[in-house]
Amino acid sequence: MLQIKDLQQIHWEQVKEIYEEGIATGIATFQTVAPKWEEWDAGHIADCRFVAIQGDKVVGWTALSPFSSRAAYSGVAEVSIYVRTEYKGKGIGKLLLNTLIKASEESGFWTLQASIFQENIGSIHLHKQAGFRKVGVRERISKLNGRWRNVLLFERRSSLQSLND
């Protein structure tokens, strides 16, 4: 039975394995090595990180990282979501992303954003299903393995958070 739990340090080794799978695809992140737990933990919002667990195996994870340290952007965060290769296409990403969206709204976030490689069709589809819309393209934003890469910018505005306050 699939369970969604808060991502804790005890999950890190399996979370890191999944992250490394994403790194290996060349279409998930500009990172070329997974960080140590301490670095990853410091860069992600504590109450908006989750794992999907099947039995005793972590099969996916999602988390938010702050968009900016400026107070004006305190309600804006960047989404990360990864699913083990053999578990893709089973609705795990959708469940994780919906859990993350709900938690983000409960924590007062009004905008979630995602930067997705243009080749990552699965991630683009997942984010669109969750209400994200494409707002731009960052052309040749960075090199990965010596090749310039473009990323698509997606965002989702919370319907629960008042933008008129």
Side-chain angles (χ1 to χ4, degrees):
M1 181 171 152
L2 187 69
Q3 296 180 315
I4 302 296
K5 295 184 176 183
D6 291 339
L7 191 161
Q8 303 291 327
Q9 185 173 1
I10 60 168
H11 303 119
W12 176 244
E13 284 308 311
Q14 292 188 68
V15 165
K16 186 175 125 181
E17 287 173 10
I18 297 166
Y19 192 35
E20 288 169 339
E21 280 185 5
I23 291 170
T25 68
I27 63 167
T29 179
F30 281 108
Q31 291 292 109
T32 56
V33 261
K36 295 189 182 314
W37 163 255
E38 294 76 15
E39 180 185 350
W40 188 92
D41 182 46
H44 292 82
I45 297 163
D47 58 348
C48 290
R49 50 172 93 159
F50 301 95
V51 287
I53 300 177
Q54 182 87 45
D56 62 352
K57 187 174 190 174
V58 175
V59 298
W61 64 272
T62 189
L64 290 182
S65 52
F67 169 72
S68 173
S69 60
R70 294 180 183 180
Y73 297 111
S74 63
V76 182
E78 176 86 18
V79 173
S80 293
I81 185 162
Y82 291 80
V83 176
R84 277 192 196 274
T85 303
E86 68 266 29
Y87 288 87
K88 290 184 178 182
K90 300 178 186 302
I92 294 167
K94 183 177 181 178
L95 181 60
L96 280 167
L97 189 52
N98 287 337
T99 300
L100 183 68
I101 289 167
K102 184 175 188 277
S104 74
E105 290 177 335
E106 290 169 356
S107 295
F109 288 92
W110 60 80
T111 299
L112 298 183
Q113 61 182 35
S115 298
I116 306 172
F117 283 98
Q118 63 187 11
E119 301 90 351
N120 195 338
I121 304 304
S123 187
I124 292 167
H125 181 68
L126 173 65
H127 284 81
K128 284 182 176 180
Q129 281 186 317
F132 284 74
R133 65 185 179 91
K134 181 179 162 186
V135 294
V137 178
R138 297 187 87 180
E139 295 179 352
R140 297 171 50 99
I141 188 67
S142 186
K143 284 185 177 180
L144 179 61
N145 300 321
R147 188 174 134 230
W148 285 106
R149 301 297 293 277
N150 299 340
V151 295
L152 307 179
L153 299 177
F154 284 83
E155 74 174 22
R156 182 186 185 282
R157 293 291 178 110
S158 171
S159 59
L160 301 180
Q161 303 303 326
S162 172
L163 300 177
N164 297 319
D165 288 345

